């Protein structure tokens, strides 16, 4: 078990999952509601309990792939949605995955990595690698100060900081303060839509 796998598995075992809101976050739900092509391939990396994936599945999107480094949230997901295909539940390291998708949904996944330049550059590069030409990266990034604490997750950042990593690989369609965040995250999230260059 890798250090990252161990860290996240322990968080689930100890029920220290403060990021888990128990339902799809409003900005992503409202984005999903605008999608019309139900055949697109979608990846949700670092999905945790994957309420967005459940929402997509129930709306008729069948090409949804749920990824997490820990098997615990994937087991929870399978229990909640027993008809979801097991082969679309991916217990793997995001950086080792090599399939391409039309859409990747980012649910503050970026903010889970130790915020080194190396990690953040690798994230941006891998997001681009996992998207088909013209593919989209859509989601939420925490707009909170990046502290020097290398243990306390989620790690924050600013719009400018994130764009520094994303700009080499993506064109920005929108990247702005999320107006429809859930109340506890009001004024602390950015919603972005990025097109692979």
């Amino acid at each position: 078990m890798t250090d990252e796998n161990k860290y996240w598995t322990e968080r689930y075992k100890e029920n220290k999952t403060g990021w888990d809101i128990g339902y799809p976050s409003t900005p992503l739900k409202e984005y999903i509601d605008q999608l019309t092509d139900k055949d697109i391939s979608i990846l949700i990396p670092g999905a945790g309990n994957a309420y967005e994936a459940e929402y997509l599945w129930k709306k008729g999107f069948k090409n949804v792939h749920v990824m997490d480094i820990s098997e615990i949230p994937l087991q929870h997901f399978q229990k909640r949605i027993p008809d979801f295909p097991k082969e679309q539940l991916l217990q793997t390291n995001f950086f080792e995955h090599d399939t391409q998708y039309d859409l990747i949904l980012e649910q503050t996944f970026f903010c889970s990595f130790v915020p080194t330049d190396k990690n953040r550059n690798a994230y941006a590069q891998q997001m681009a690698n996992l998207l088909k030409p013209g593919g989209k990266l859509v989601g939420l990034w925490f707009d909170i100060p990046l502290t020097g604490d290398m243990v306390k997750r989620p790690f924050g950042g600013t719009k400018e900081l994130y764009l520094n990593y994303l700009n080499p690989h993506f064109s920005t369609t929108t990247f702005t303060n999320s107006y429809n965040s859930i109340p506890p995250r009001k004024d602390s999230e950015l919603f972005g839509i990025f097109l692979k260059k």
Side-chain angles (χ1 to χ4, degrees):
M1 189 182 277
T2 67
D3 288 348
E4 286 292 293
N5 183 334
K6 187 164 180 266
Y7 173 86
W8 293 109
T9 297
E10 282 173 3
R11 294 286 295 264
Y12 283 106
K13 281 182 178 167
E14 294 165 11
N15 215 19
K16 291 182 179 171
T17 54
W19 66 85
D20 188 316
I21 61 175
Y23 53 87
S25 73
T26 311
L28 287 178
K29 178 179 178 292
E30 291 188 4
Y31 176 78
I32 290 165
D33 286 343
Q34 297 168 41
L35 296 174
T36 53
D37 182 357
K38 297 198 170 166
D39 294 325
I40 58 169
S41 54
I42 303 170
L43 174 68
I44 307 178
N49 285 312
Y51 303 106
E52 287 79 14
E54 179 178 1
Y55 186 68
L56 282 159
W57 181 254
K58 289 179 174 171
K59 280 182 71 80
F61 291 85
K62 298 304 178 195
N63 201 355
V64 180
H65 301 260
V66 178
M67 178 189 289
D68 206 277
I69 201 163
S70 171
E71 67 180 348
I72 293 176
L74 298 176
Q75 290 168 346
H76 292 168
F77 185 86
Q78 188 76 72
K79 280 183 191 152
R80 287 200 332 266
I81 303 111
D83 62 332
F84 191 87
K86 281 191 172 60
E87 65 275 11
Q88 288 169 223
L89 291 171
L90 312 171
Q91 190 208 344
T92 188
N93 183 327
F94 165 75
F95 295 104
E96 293 167 4
H97 193 56
D98 64 357
T99 305
Q100 286 193 315
Y101 302 87
D102 297 303
L103 172 65
I104 299 179
L105 290 181
E106 156 68 61
Q107 170 64 292
T108 60
F109 174 54
F110 182 86
C111 305
S112 69
F113 298 110
V114 175
T116 62
D117 231 16
K118 183 181 175 192
N119 284 349
R120 291 189 155 188
N121 276 314
Y123 161 98
Q125 177 68 66
Q126 178 66 345
M127 280 295 188
N129 292 345
L130 294 178
L131 283 166
K132 294 176 184 174
K136 284 182 185 172
L137 168 62
V138 177
L140 295 163
W141 287 259
F142 276 125
D143 187 18
I144 53 178
L146 179 57
T147 68
D149 189 336
M150 287 286 148
V151 178
K152 195 170 183 332
R153 308 187 195 208
F155 301 107
T158 62
K159 181 176 178 178
E160 292 68 33
L161 183 73
Y162 298 139
L163 288 174
N164 183 48
Y165 295 105
L166 295 169
N167 278 341
H169 310 283
F170 295 94
S171 306
T172 306
T173 301
T174 187
F175 197 34
T176 186
N177 290 328
S178 173
Y179 71 90
N180 55 357
S181 291
I182 61 168
R185 295 182 184 172
K186 185 173 166 19
D187 300 324
S188 64
E189 288 181 315
L190 296 161
F191 176 77
I193 300 175
F194 299 91
L195 284 176
K196 177 177 174 170
K197 283 185 176 172

